[in-house]
Amino acid sequence: MLTKVKDTFIEADKICKKVEASLRRKHKVKRLTKEQESIAFDITKVIVANEEPKDWVKKVKDYIKNPVDT
């Protein structure tokens, strides 16, 4: 059970890094501001809360375009 929780946190961290990379590309910057990093974390939380773990990677682009909690 504990291993599954740990693995989920690791996957969520990977998704957060993908969200940050997508935001850097979108805004054409090398580094995100603290506010943008906070937004990336919020988008990650929404993805994790709303989507199945197997779909997280596929949904990053959708949530970058429209970061709405469903």
Side-chain angles (χ1 to χ4, degrees):
M1 176 71 173
L2 199 55
T3 313
K4 188 166 175 81
V5 171
K6 182 184 87 166
D7 291 344
T8 302
F9 275 113
I10 290 169
E11 288 302 313
D13 187 52
K14 289 178 185 176
I15 294 302
C16 190
K17 299 223 181 301
K18 286 190 179 294
V19 170
E20 288 175 350
S22 294
L23 285 174
R24 284 194 303 272
R25 275 194 303 275
K26 180 179 179 179
H27 296 294
K28 298 178 180 143
V29 295
K30 283 190 174 184
R31 291 188 170 204
L32 297 177
T33 64
K34 292 289 183 195
E35 184 178 338
Q36 290 168 327
E37 287 177 359
S38 176
I39 290 169
F41 184 70
D42 289 342
I43 291 171
T44 302
K45 288 191 299 188
V46 171
I47 293 171
V48 169
N50 291 334
E51 305 298 335
E52 292 294 320
K54 63 180 176 49
D55 296 330
W56 289 353
V57 173
K58 293 183 271 184
K59 296 292 185 172
V60 169
K61 192 184 293 185
D62 295 339
Y63 280 90
I64 293 294
K65 287 180 185 172
N66 188 21
V68 176
D69 191 359
T70 52

